[in-house]
Amino acid sequence: MEFYWESTVIAIVAFILLYMLLSKYAFGPLFAVMEQRRQLVKDEIANAEASRKQAEQQLNEQKLALQEARKEAFEIIEQAKRSSAKQADDILDAAKQESVRLKEEAVKDIENEKNKAISALRSQVSGMSVMIASKIIEKQIDEKSQEQLVDQYLKQVGNKS
């Protein structure tokens, strides 16, 4: 085998020409497309990271809003408990005052009725005493008759009341 240096030079020249043509017409657009693709991937990664951060921020905001809502609900429940306890106490106080008032009225009514009964009894007793005395004076009776007379008048008093 013989070495032909002309063939080698022609192959090297052809390779250099092919490389220059490919660089100008093929590699340039290919590298441009690859650069665009690399930039697109880079932008997508940046967008994904921004979206992740925004989602994380919204999640934190929602957690805070939920905690605030729970706190407000707890405060509303506590306020309702306090209000209902106060209302129950007010109702009990009003009922106690009403029962005391009714009791006092009943005691006054009983006292008035008692006084009326005593007054009526006094007038009847005094009237009866006068009648008994007049009967005793009218007729002298023995002890047994006097007892019967007193019993009769007491029965009359009992029937009138």
Side-chain angles (χ1 to χ4, degrees):
M1 248 205 232
E2 240 179 87
F3 178 71
Y4 298 105
W5 65 274
E6 295 96 17
S7 301
T8 305
V9 171
I10 292 174
I12 290 176
V13 170
F15 180 74
I16 291 174
L17 280 174
L18 181 62
Y19 180 75
M20 288 170 48
L21 286 173
L22 283 175
S23 290
K24 186 173 186 179
Y25 295 109
F27 291 148
L30 180 64
F31 287 144
V33 167
M34 287 177 65
E35 181 60 29
Q36 286 176 348
R37 179 73 177 154
R38 187 186 68 77
Q39 189 62 39
L40 179 66
V41 169
K42 184 178 175 183
D43 290 345
E44 288 296 320
I45 290 172
N47 286 339
E49 181 65 22
S51 294
R52 185 191 64 79
K53 285 182 181 179
Q54 185 179 9
E56 195 174 284
Q57 182 182 3
Q58 288 177 347
L59 178 64
N60 288 336
E61 288 172 1
Q62 288 176 352
K63 284 181 182 178
L64 290 174
L66 182 61
Q67 287 175 346
E68 187 66 28
R70 284 181 180 160
K71 181 180 176 184
E72 288 176 12
F74 180 75
E75 288 174 1
I76 289 170
I77 290 170
E78 288 300 314
Q79 184 179 6
K81 285 180 183 178
R82 287 189 301 269
S83 174
S84 64
K86 184 183 181 305
Q87 194 174 22
D89 290 343
D90 291 347
I91 290 171
L92 286 175
D93 288 343
K96 285 178 184 176
Q97 290 173 356
E98 183 66 14
S99 69
V100 166
R101 185 187 65 78
L102 289 175
K103 181 181 174 186
E104 288 173 354
E105 283 182 13
V107 167
K108 285 179 184 176
D109 289 345
I110 291 170
E111 189 66 31
N112 287 338
E113 290 299 318
K114 177 182 159 188
N115 290 337
K116 285 180 185 177
I118 289 173
S119 174
L121 187 61
R122 280 185 183 159
S123 66
Q124 285 178 359
V125 166
S126 65
M128 295 278 248
S129 295
V130 169
M131 283 177 31
I132 289 174
S134 66
K135 293 279 184 175
I136 289 176
I137 292 175
E138 283 179 10
K139 66 178 185 178
Q140 286 293 344
I141 55 173
D142 61 358
E143 206 171 291
K144 189 174 181 184
S145 300
Q146 189 177 358
E147 254 181 60
Q148 287 176 351
L149 188 59
V150 169
D151 285 341
Q152 179 185 356
Y153 284 119
L154 286 178
K155 284 181 186 174
Q156 286 178 357
V157 169
N159 288 337
K160 288 183 181 179
S161 338

